[in-house]
Amino acid sequence: MADQKKKSSSAEVRSDAAAGAGNEPRVSLWERLENPPPAPRTVLTPDRIAEVAVGVADAEGIEAVTMRRLATELGVAPMAAYRYVAGKDDLLELMVDRVYGELTAPEAGAGWRATLRTLATSTRDIVLRHPWLVQLPTARAAISLTPNRLAAAEWGMAALSELDLPPDEMMVAVDTVGAYVQGRTASEVATLRLMAVQGAADGHALRTHLAPEMTYLMGTGRYPAFRTYIGTARRKDDARWQFETALDCVLDGLATRLGI
Amino acid sequence: MADQKKKSSSAEVRSDAAAGAGNEPRVSLWERLENPPPAPRTVLTPDRIAEVAVGVADAEGIEAVTMRRLATELGVAPMAAYRYVAGKDDLLELMVDRVYGELTAPEAGAGWRATLRTLATSTRDIVLRHPWLVQLPTARAAISLTPNRLAAAEWGMAALSELDLPPDEMMVAVDTVGAYVQGRTASEVATLRLMAVQGAADGHALRTHLAPEMTYLMGTGRYPAFRTYIGTARRKDDARWQFETALDCVLDGLATRLGI
DNA sequence: CCATGGATGTGTACAACGTATCCGGCGAAA
DNA sequence: TTTCGCCGGATACGTTGTACACATCCATGG
């Protein structure tokens, strides 16, 4: 079966991209990666491409990741990478899978709650290290079923399978935590980015920069509760505390509703 | 004070965009909208621009919203809209605020739980009507403090202020629900989009289309728990049930941890 | 040892995008 | 009626993703 793939690996990439609604048997991107062609003159590899792309994205943001920039960084012509990725979508998918590989496997046998909590905080760490992860410009990369991403779901499900929950509720539990983490980290990253863009060093500096908008909006008198929050809150800038407190709320909720 | 603004409304837009890390007193976008210039020959208005933009985004996706397309749709030259929005970021912010205006105000006096629940489901309805809302291409639009968006937070906080919670915990409660809704609807929309792109009519058709990837990944044997989920789950396609079940989990969690 | 063919990277090109900049012209105030 | 300031038009530039045809080099079969 290895022969089948070797025979037309470059054509494979093209057809995969062009397929769309077509119906001929496709070959998974991940399958291709596991059976690479003999690669005689290997200068470029999907791994190297992804590595460089992640590096650029980490250093200068996802918008700095252009096919041309990648080519320059790899010391190669602008179109060279297209032999290995069908398009930018494919590239983003590779990047996502690569950084999800940084997830630390939760220790087996730690109850469901500890496992889900570890997965959540570990995912947050990854997002803080690679903020572009929650700013993917295409929808496909955001939902993509990559091996390492699926592994995260698997760990969660495995931890829950010891309790005899109906499968649908198991998935709800995993998805709830996942959705919370995704949403929370996304807004956390957005704040950090806004700070960077405005040149604000911390939350206080950012609020100073946003003063015109804020004072105008507060001046309308439409937001009294919000206003008193701003005046009296003390942990406005403690993102970690906020993240973990809310996470514990979510976990409490699972415990309560799923009867654990 | 109105005079100050009138005097240089067009210059205002430019300087607002160029300001960046500058320090001269900025004027909020929203303030500008409330004090429009006399507008003698009004063909274009921020409202009309936002309306058309939302229409295009709803019908053909956010990537169809280009400044040129907008101009064509408005029967105007490509650069005309720049008199009213400082750039594409401003435009997106206007769009976001506009659709958040569709939020139905929760009835006053209906306990915190009912209020938060209404806000959540109502937000989901908006996102399903305007899927681009969770696919905003820029980070600024994702966090933007727009009046209508702030109103949603205000309603939540107001509902919680009857319980004597510390302000930081109040915000955690509101943010938890917000983050969950954001994350969940985002993945829901991504699935819908993927279905549209693949020409799949329902979840089952989509899974058929993803069969190559899926069978390969499952064939590796690395995902046993996930595999049994796929085989035994019954509500895989009931997005509404999943959303509301998880939402109730989250609300339970708030109740438990915040002691209500 | 050499010829050959498929995989690999190159070069050029195009359409579409956001937007900077300059301009002609209309409407209301003087 | 003249003048001034806002409006929308026109043109242009640099950058993006990627299609397509071509040159080149390696492993292999003779």
Side-chain angles (χ1 to χ4, degrees), chain A residues 6-7 41 43-44 77 79 83-84:
Chain A
K6 276 189 222 165
K7 197 158 126 224
R41 199 185 2 165
V43 178
L44 246 39
M79 290 301 294
R83 289 272 170 211
Y84 298 92

Side-chain angles (χ1 to χ4, degrees), chain B residues 9-23:
Chain B
S9 85
S10 92
E12 207 65 60
V13 178
R14 293 295 168 91
S15 77
D16 195 37
N23 265 341

Side-chain angles (χ1 to χ4, degrees), chain B residues 21-44:
Chain B
N23 265 341
E24 72 277 11
R26 265 177 310 125
V27 175
S28 153
L29 168 63
W30 313 112
E31 192 162 3
R32 254 188 285 131
L33 291 186
E34 288 227 332
N35 307 47
R41 201 183 358 162
T42 305
V43 180
L44 246 38

